[in-house]
Amino acid sequence: MELTRTPHVVVIMGVAGTGKTTIGPLLAARLGVPYAEGDDFHPPANIAKMTAGTPLTDADRWPWLDAIGRWAHERAGLGGVVSSSALKRGYRDRLRAAAPGVVFVHLTGDRALIEGRMSQRQGHFMPAALLDSQLATLQPLEADEVGVAVDVSGDPGEITERAVAALRDLPQPSL
């Protein structure tokens, strides 16, 4: 069966530089659902901290995660893709509390590849210097979390197709 539209709300997650902003819209288009850029949910104070190279605290992240959770809740049963680093289990739990049917696509890759991609970006507020703090914070998906890990080597089209194939194998949410 071809997966062209999904009732899932997909949170595309991973450390900075894995391609959430590139793959998210491609995945949403492939699934026939809207895309929301997670960075747009950050309050200005968070953007200022990250621009200055200061990692966010959990207290900084709660309002941001809550805003993403509200968006995901509003899309329940309709489908959607939203990006969020969602690095810690507790962050993902908070998103699931707001929108119980969310599914995670964890973009993963080799540190050197990710750092190389970050150094190529222009105009993004997240400096490559924060990659190590993100990798140290990252808690990969656990067995009881609904989601898939997708390798980010290759071009955006290949990565998107890997994500679609992995999502196809997930059970449909109970709504």
Side-chain angles (χ1 to χ4, degrees):
M1 180 174 106
E2 184 64 19
L3 178 68
T4 56
R5 185 159 179 82
T6 179
H8 289 296
V9 173
V10 177
V11 176
I12 193 154
M13 63 168 280
V15 299
T18 53
K20 296 181 296 292
T21 298
T22 299
I23 304 305
L26 294 173
L27 182 60
R30 183 72 168 74
L31 299 177
V33 297
Y35 171 72
E37 172 55 52
D39 287 342
D40 293 343
F41 293 92
H42 273 297
N46 284 8
I47 302 289
K49 278 183 94 167
M50 290 183 284
T51 300
T54 304
L56 299 179
T57 66
D58 286 352
D60 295 327
R61 285 187 180 91
W62 298 142
W64 172 65
L65 290 165
D66 292 343
I68 292 170
R70 281 190 298 279
W71 185 89
H73 178 79
E74 291 169 3
R75 297 297 313 162
L78 302 172
V81 175
V82 62
S83 59
S84 169
S85 55
L87 299 177
K88 290 183 181 180
R89 170 70 188 247
Y91 304 163
R92 297 187 298 271
D93 288 345
R94 194 168 184 117
L95 292 172
R96 272 191 296 273
V102 297
V103 172
F104 294 90
V105 171
H106 179 189
L107 299 179
T108 64
D110 174 81
R111 185 195 186 289
L113 173 67
I114 295 167
E115 184 175 38
R117 288 181 178 175
M118 286 183 82
S119 68
Q120 300 289 320
R121 297 193 305 191
Q122 294 183 5
H124 195 277
F125 59 81
M126 177 67 87
L130 289 181
L131 178 58
D132 286 332
S133 75
Q134 291 224 324
L135 290 169
T137 300
L138 176 64
Q139 297 171 347
L141 291 171
E142 296 179 24
D144 66 329
E145 293 184 273
V146 180
V148 296
V150 175
D151 181 73
V152 296
S153 60
D155 68 50
E158 293 168 334
I159 298 163
T160 301
E161 288 309 310
R162 279 197 292 272
V164 168
L167 287 170
R168 186 180 293 123
D169 294 336
L170 288 176
Q172 290 298 307
S174 55
L175 301 169

